């Protein structure tokens, strides 16, 4: 039922201008198209197709995309897809990307994704990103977040960035 799918936030059109539609792009159910894309044998083709499909789904309903991704059994596929969703969302709303990543179990050791998202957030709203990073529990992860934020801040306010770095715990993070 198209109306039910629309209310559920499932994209009704996954076509790209200039690209010939196929069974995946005609599908109103991105999860089906993604399931097929993950089965492609050629890694480059698979990764490109997954990125394309996720990008379109994120534009319509990032939360629904993340919910579906959470159901993936293969951890490598789940991490790849989750990273793509968060990075796509961060292009327009990095604060929301951080929130969504944390809500869906992205941990501090998850390949630096949250550090990357924090840097993107800092590019758009540095003060709120730094405040958020400062609110995180003390430890190496918090220090890494602040270090990344200070790197971005150093482009516009070197003195403020130096102040952040000077308050980091001594160790390898401060020296990065």
């Amino acid at each position: 039922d198209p109306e039910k799918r629309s209310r559920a936030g499932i994209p009704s059109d996954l076509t790209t201008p200039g690209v010939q539609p196929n069974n995946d792009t005609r599908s109103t159910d991105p999860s089906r198209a993604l399931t097929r894309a993950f089965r492609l044998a050629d890694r480059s083709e698979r990764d490109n197709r997954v990125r394309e499909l996720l990008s379109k789904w994120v534009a319509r309903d990032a939360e629904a995309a993340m919910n579906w991704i959470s159901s993936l059994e293969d951890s490598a596929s789940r991490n790849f897809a989750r990273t793509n969703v968060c990075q796509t969302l961060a292009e327009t709303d990095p604060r929301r990307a951080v929130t969504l990543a944390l809500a869906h179990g992205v941990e501090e050791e998850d390949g630096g994704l949250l550090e990357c998202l924090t840097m993107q957030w800092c590019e758009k709203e540095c003060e709120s990103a730094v405040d958020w990073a400062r609110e995180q529990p003390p430890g190496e992860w918090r220090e890494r977040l602040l270090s990344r934020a200070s790197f971005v801040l150093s482009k516009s306010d070197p003195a403020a960035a130096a102040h952040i770095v000077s308050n980091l715990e001594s160790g390898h993070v401060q020296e990065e």
Side-chain angles (χ1 to χ4, degrees), residues 85-97:
V85 165
C86 291
Q87 289 177 336
T88 299
L89 183 58
E91 292 173 10
T92 57
D93 192 348
R95 175 194 300 240
R96 186 165 167 238

Side-chain angles (χ1 to χ4, degrees), residues 22-125:
N22 60 33
N23 288 337
D24 288 343
T25 57
R26 280 190 213 116
S27 173
T28 58
D29 183 356
S31 62
R32 278 191 194 154
L34 281 161
T35 299
R36 284 190 295 274
F38 273 116
R39 291 184 187 139
L40 292 172
D42 180 87
R43 182 179 177 164
S44 177
E45 182 182 353
R46 178 186 66 229
D47 291 353
N48 288 336
R49 188 73 183 123
V50 168
R51 277 190 207 96
E52 175 190 358
L53 291 166
L54 285 173
S55 177
K56 292 174 184 187
W57 199 356
V58 168
R60 290 169 176 88
D61 190 347
E63 183 68 37
M66 285 294 271
N67 285 337
W68 179 80
I69 290 165
S70 294
S71 72
L72 292 174
E73 291 181 21
D74 179 60
S75 64
S77 295
R78 189 173 50 250
N79 289 338
F80 175 79
R82 186 170 47 195
T83 296
N84 276 280
V85 165
C86 291
Q87 289 177 336
T88 299
L89 183 58
E91 292 173 10
T92 57
D93 192 348
R95 175 194 300 240
R96 186 165 167 238
V98 168
T99 303
L100 189 65
L102 290 169
H104 285 272
V106 173
E107 301 297 327
E108 55 199 57
E109 296 88 20
D110 198 8
L113 177 60
L114 285 169
E115 293 171 42
C116 178
L117 297 175
T118 300
M119 288 178 73
Q120 288 178 275
W121 183 6
C122 201
E123 295 271 349
K124 292 190 179 222
E125 302 172 7

Side-chain angles (χ1 to χ4, degrees), residues 112 115-116 119 139-152 154 161-162 164-166 168-176:
E115 293 171 42
C116 178
M119 288 178 73
E140 186 179 341
W141 182 59
R142 177 180 177 264
E143 301 296 307
R144 287 194 323 258
L145 294 173
L146 288 168
S147 174
R148 299 309 185 264
S150 70
F151 174 77
V152 173
S154 70
I164 291 171
V165 171
S166 70
L168 296 177
E169 293 179 20
S170 294
H172 78 282
V173 172
Q174 189 179 43
E175 296 167 3
E176 288 183 354

